[in-house]
Amino acid sequence: MKNTLEIKGLKAGIGEKEILHGLNLTVPKGEVHAIMGKNGSGKSTLAKVMAGHHDYEVRGGDVLLDGESILGLAPDVRARTGLFLAFQYPSEIPGVTIANFMRAALNARRAEGEEIDAVEYYNELYQKMDLLKIDRSFTSRSVNDGFSGGEKKRNEILQMAMLGPKYAVLDETDSGLDIDALKVVSHGVNSLRGPNLGILVITHYQRLLDYIVPDVVHVMAAGRIVKSGPKELALEMEKKGYDWVETPVPA
Amino acid sequence: MSGIVAQDKPDLQIDQDQGNFSYPEDYAFDAGTGLTEKTIDYICDTKGDPDWVREFRKKALKVFQDKPLPTHWASKDLENIHFDDFRYYLSKGAKPKRSWDEVPDDVKKTFERLGIPEKERAFLAGVEAQFDSEAAYSNIKKAVAEQGVVFVGSREGLKEHPEIFRKWFGKVIPTGDNKFSALNSAVFSGGSFIYVPKGVKVKHPLQAYFRINAENFGQFERTLIIVDEGAELTYMEGCTAPKFDSVTLHSAVVELVAMKGAKLQYITVQNWSPNVFNLVTKRGLAHEEAEIKWIDCNIGSRLTMKYPGVVLKGRKSRGEVLSIALANNGQHQDTGAKMIHAADETTSNIISKSISIGSGRATYRGLVHIPRHLKGCKNNTECDALLINSESRTDTYPAIVTRGEGNSVQHEASVSKVSAEQIFYMQQRGLSEGQAMSLSVNGFVNELVRQFPMEYSVELKRLIDLEMEGSVG
Ligand SMILES: Nc1ncnc2c1ncn2[C@@H]1O[C@H](COP(=O)(O)OP(=O)(O)O)[C@@H](O)[C@H]1O
Ligand SMILES: [Mg+2]
């Protein structure tokens, strides 16, 4: 379907182990969906399988971006098609500055010889950094190298802001953030909300959803979505814990 | 016929047919294959060498024949060089058999991306013939002549400036230094001779392109640079060799002399095709308060053995080697640096960065020699290795140091890896696997490259990009 990110009966695993057991989820553009789930329920696996991580083997189902399957595409092609993943554990890239990294990423989306104009680029970068209350000196630091947990998460959202994806998956972007940083990051994400972006927020705390208020909340357990509902579901989960939804309802 | 036995290297995943082109073998001056006294006579007669050079060459031939291959410490791969099958001299290149239109598109594209000036592209692509064993010099030659700088080929140098040439030729690197310096001494041709007079500071770097342009032809340049008291020079040597079918031998000797208070910087960015044996001896002699700096970047080749050095002969002289080696699949970079401290208060600095990809192998060999009787000498050595994928291999044979009392020596080494996770992260931002690796490699060498002249850091970056793009998919 146009203007949706659809996950249909997705089965994926590593080696003998199946982690996602036929997962269904649809995120329309313009909406924010949240996935809540216990540690180990397969949330990061879902994010990485969508992004094309080579460790995971897809064993069934499909992932469609605006109606087109992306499972056959290389990770970088998926990214350029408009899928962004804010990593739970972002990698460090020693010696490569944020400024150079982002510029390379933007240029990778353009035809050869049509590199982004430097002035235009820095204007954009500084504007997005201001939005996320990131100091200008940040641009000359190596990507995530020696960053605090909070800095890494902010850097992920900065990249999301710069790359302008169609669909963004934020994997535990709240972990490691203190309350002030959480507010800044949430403000950044909220300012990107709009009719042209679908967001899937992964978390296991309800707290984040006070700041990034979702349209729909899904609960994940053992590799499946076991319950979906309005934003109030998040509060209910917080109160009752995960156990009451643990046993999946038979289809 | 090939001079080097093709070895069974299944991991050499480079398309050898791409960009190949060959030259007709009817060279006007051809010494034939193999190396005997007759070959030497042929070379001397053709070049019109003076008698002292003929004698020098013949002595060198004996040394070469007597010296064993250094396989006991270096690579056994050296045994695959069959010296009898090479042509050792070839002076007049016949017109190559293709036009610019026939140059494969990928070769053209490579030149473009490397930013090679249009005039040089035709030459490098083999469309324009050049004297095979002579170096091609840029117009800068004329400009510097006005300052009294001599910038000529080695043959012209020894004929027209014998007083300076003979004084230093073979003095920094004696014939018997190693088997390959002996080989070069026997059959050298091409290379540069430069003399910078006292106090002259040459503003623009002098530059020469060398290349191998006949299949199966070894190139034996001989470069001698003398920078007189208080003078300054930067010399840049670039090698962009196209791909050839058969394996090739390159064995140069470069001697540098920096007189009192002189500054000399020698920059090499090499990009050999993956079938070349590159066995080079490079050394500088620094007099009082003089400074010699080698910037040496080695990309490509089947085997490179190269350890630029500085003999710190005068008080307060300084020596520096900044090197980058990139060993791609099937390649072996055996590089390093030598610092021979021979006077008080001498300083040396070595920074070596190596990158090994796939089955590529990078070895660092260092020698820092500080005799016990010297005072106030300093050395700093840093060796960093970057591994891309688990097969890669890196070895460090660290500095062998003799310490005197009042001397300080510092040594640091590190090995890091580009992880699959890191590549995936970059791919998720939209960079291809090749671009991601290239960015990681550039990140690894960045700090060092910042010390290079601008144009060379740009060229190096492009070369790394090309190399990394070629190493995936
Ligand atoms: N690379 C991996 N290798 C082996 N097992 C993995 C790997 N990634 C995830 N798993 C397993 O899959 C399950 C789900 O993990 P994950 O997706 O990280 O959960 P969550 O993000 O919800 O905490 C866990 O049991 C975990 O151990
Ligand atoms: Mg997780």
Side-chain angles (χ1 to χ4, degrees), chain A residues 72-135:
Chain A
L73 306 176
D76 53 307
V77 182
R78 298 184 196 197
R80 296 196 298 271
T81 307
L83 181 69
F84 181 88
L85 168 59
F87 286 74
Q88 183 174 4
Y89 303 108
S91 290
E92 303 185 355
I93 317 170
V96 179
T97 63
I98 291 175
N100 281 343
F101 183 53
M102 274 299 92
R103 181 138 68 160
L106 286 167
N107 284 334
R109 287 163 169 76
R110 293 165 165 244
E112 215 181 276
E114 287 175 23
E115 273 81 36
I116 189 165
D117 173 71
V119 176
E120 184 191 323
Y121 168 66
Y122 275 99
N123 280 341
E124 176 100 15
L125 183 62
Y126 288 152
Q127 191 200 322
K128 300 286 154 61
M129 288 170 73
D130 291 348
L131 174 73
L132 290 159
K133 299 205 164 69
I134 295 172
D135 192 83

Side-chain angles (χ1 to χ4, degrees), chain A residues 44 88 171-172:
Chain A
S44 292
Q88 183 174 4
D171 192 1
E172 304 218 12

Side-chain angles (χ1 to χ4, degrees), chain B residues 101 194 313 405 439:
Chain B
D101 288 342
I194 298 173
K313 185 165 182 266
E405 280 298 310
L439 209 55

Side-chain angles (χ1 to χ4, degrees), chain B residues 302-456:
Chain B
R302 170 167 168 178
L303 171 67
T304 287
M305 286 171 64
K306 197 203 280 185
Y307 324 94
V310 182
V311 178
L312 300 153
K313 185 165 182 266
R315 225 183 105 255
K316 287 191 167 171
S317 57
R318 291 184 300 278
E320 195 164 10
V321 174
L322 309 179
S323 69
I324 292 173
L326 194 157
N328 215 328
N329 280 306
Q331 302 174 354
H332 184 183
Q333 299 280 0
D334 196 312
T335 58
K338 287 184 186 175
M339 292 295 177
I340 312 297
H341 291 252
D344 289 341
E345 298 175 73
T346 46
T347 333
S348 60
N349 185 35
I350 300 169
I351 302 178
S352 155
K353 299 239 177 200
S354 73
I355 302 123
S356 314
I357 304 154
S359 61
R361 187 177 160 200
T363 307
Y364 172 82
R365 280 175 218 280
L367 172 67
V368 176
H369 184 76
I370 305 178
R372 208 159 274 282
H373 66 272
L374 296 182
K375 289 181 192 69
C377 298
K378 280 187 200 142
N379 165 264
N380 174 57
T381 301
E382 283 172 52
C383 305
D384 299 318
L386 182 71
L387 304 181
I388 299 180
N389 97 34
S390 53
E391 292 171 78
S392 299
R393 150 166 194 196
T394 179
D395 308 290
T396 302
Y397 301 94
I400 305 158
V401 180
T402 320
R403 249 174 266 235
E405 280 298 310
N407 301 313
S408 93
V409 173
Q410 212 178 310
H411 180 89
E412 276 176 46
S414 78
V415 179
S416 48
K417 273 188 179 183
V418 175
S419 66
E421 229 39 56
Q422 195 178 328
I423 297 294
F424 177 67
Y425 181 79
M426 291 191 264
Q427 280 188 282
Q428 212 302 306
R429 299 309 182 239
L431 299 168
S432 70
E433 193 182 353
Q435 288 170 329
M437 290 213 274
S438 170
L439 209 55
S440 301
V441 171
N442 275 303
F444 172 69
V445 298
N446 233 343
E447 209 180 305
L448 185 58
V449 171
R450 253 183 242 138
Q451 300 182 42
F452 297 4
M454 185 63 182
E455 60 268 52
Y456 261 61

Side-chain angles (χ1 to χ4, degrees), chain A residues 14 17 19 38-45 56:
Chain A
I14 292 184
K17 182 173 177 167
I19 303 168
K38 280 207 291 198
N39 268 337
S41 57
K43 304 183 298 295
S44 292
T45 300
Y56 301 91

Side-chain angles (χ1 to χ4, degrees), chain A residues 167-210:
Chain A
Y167 300 95
V169 179
L170 313 185
D171 192 1
E172 304 218 12
T173 299
D174 51 334
S175 66
L177 294 183
D178 59 30
I179 191 72
D180 291 331
L182 184 69
K183 283 179 184 169
V184 171
V185 165
S186 303
H187 173 67
V189 173
N190 286 329
S191 69
L192 297 173
R193 286 174 84 152
N196 298 318
L197 175 64
I199 300 177
L200 184 59
V201 177
I202 293 172
T203 181
H204 72 240
Y205 296 111
Q206 185 273 333
R207 188 183 69 157
L208 174 69
L209 306 180
D210 287 342

Side-chain angles (χ1 to χ4, degrees), chain A residues 9 11 20-21 30 38 50 53 59 64 66 89 111 114 135 156-157 187 198 202 210 214-215 232 245:
Chain A
K11 289 184 180 176
L20 303 178
H21 310 286
K38 280 207 291 198
M50 282 196 275
H53 197 290
R59 289 163 193 175
L64 305 158
D66 291 337
Y89 303 108
E114 287 175 23
D135 192 83
E156 293 295 285
I157 303 306
H187 173 67
I202 293 172
D210 287 342
D215 298 296
E232 289 74 20
V245 291

